[in-house]
Amino acid sequence: ALYYTNNVTSSISNTTISRNDASGTAKGITFTPVSGTLDIVNSIIWDNSTNDITRTGGTVNVSHSIYGTSNGTITNGANVFNTDPLFPDAANEDFTISSAASDAVDNGLLSGAPTSDIVDTIRPKGSGVDLGAFESDFIIWNGPNYYVNDNSFTGDIFTSDTGIDVSGCGGPTNP
């Protein structure tokens, strides 16, 4: 949990804060200074006791993030979701993304994002940076479809515009 009391300008990027149940005020993020700004980008703040974000002073701006409950005025920018991020096993502290259906996949802001996640997985893997501390293995394909209808195909297909290598995808397929 994070608890801000001093008049600061701070930012949180590509962070996951989940399942905190601290005694006292801070559960997820609590921002209480008289003035100051907290910018939250590309992050997941989810399933913390009481509220995920509490603001009683200053300004809190959120963009390209997922959060659940809040208290106080929060300024939401682009790509802010109030949906379950679909962690596979949050009860056992697995905060990776377990489904391509998660709004966390590919909805991050590339500008300013780290080039790798908390376990050194290169970012982005798909068309955008994933929200939170972990980059998923899911790739949402929005490009052209390639069909190989010859059993003898052994070549490689590489699309340089997306960086997706589908080497060895030979064999019969039905479009």
Side-chain angles (χ1 to χ4, degrees):
L2 299 173
Y3 186 74
Y4 292 87
T5 58
N6 294 328
N7 297 334
V8 297
T9 298
S10 185
S11 63
I12 298 170
S13 176
N14 292 93
T15 300
T16 300
I17 299 172
S18 186
R19 297 187 49 85
N20 287 287
D21 187 15
S23 62
T25 306
K27 307 298 187 201
I29 297 173
T30 301
F31 197 72
T32 66
V34 174
S35 64
T37 302
L38 174 62
D39 294 317
I40 301 169
V41 180
N42 291 353
S43 295
I44 300 172
I45 300 100
W46 188 259
D47 196 26
N48 296 285
S49 67
T50 311
N51 288 304
D52 292 312
I53 303 173
T54 299
R55 186 201 67 80
T56 60
T59 303
V60 176
N61 302 308
V62 180
S63 71
H64 299 83
S65 295
I66 294 174
Y67 70 92
T69 59
S70 64
N71 184 21
T73 301
I74 310 296
T75 304
N76 290 330
N79 287 359
V80 175
F81 303 96
N82 181 271
T83 56
D84 186 338
L86 304 176
F87 298 135
D89 193 5
N92 289 306
E93 300 181 4
D94 183 352
F95 301 111
T96 58
I97 304 304
S98 65
S99 172
S102 172
D103 284 325
V105 177
D106 289 348
N107 276 309
L109 182 64
L110 183 59
S111 176
T115 56
S116 62
D117 72 2
I118 196 168
V119 292
D120 286 332
T121 300
I122 293 176
R123 291 193 150 162
K125 280 189 153 186
S127 62
V129 174
D130 291 347
L131 307 180
F134 296 94
E135 186 75 7
S136 72
D137 289 328
F138 299 104
I139 296 174
I140 310 299
W141 180 254
N142 293 319
N145 293 319
Y146 297 97
Y147 298 101
V148 179
N149 292 313
D150 179 355
N151 287 335
S152 64
F153 176 78
T154 57
D156 295 337
I157 299 172
F158 183 80
T159 59
S160 61
D161 59 328
T162 60
I164 298 173
D165 183 357
V166 288
S167 301
C169 66
T173 63
N174 295 318

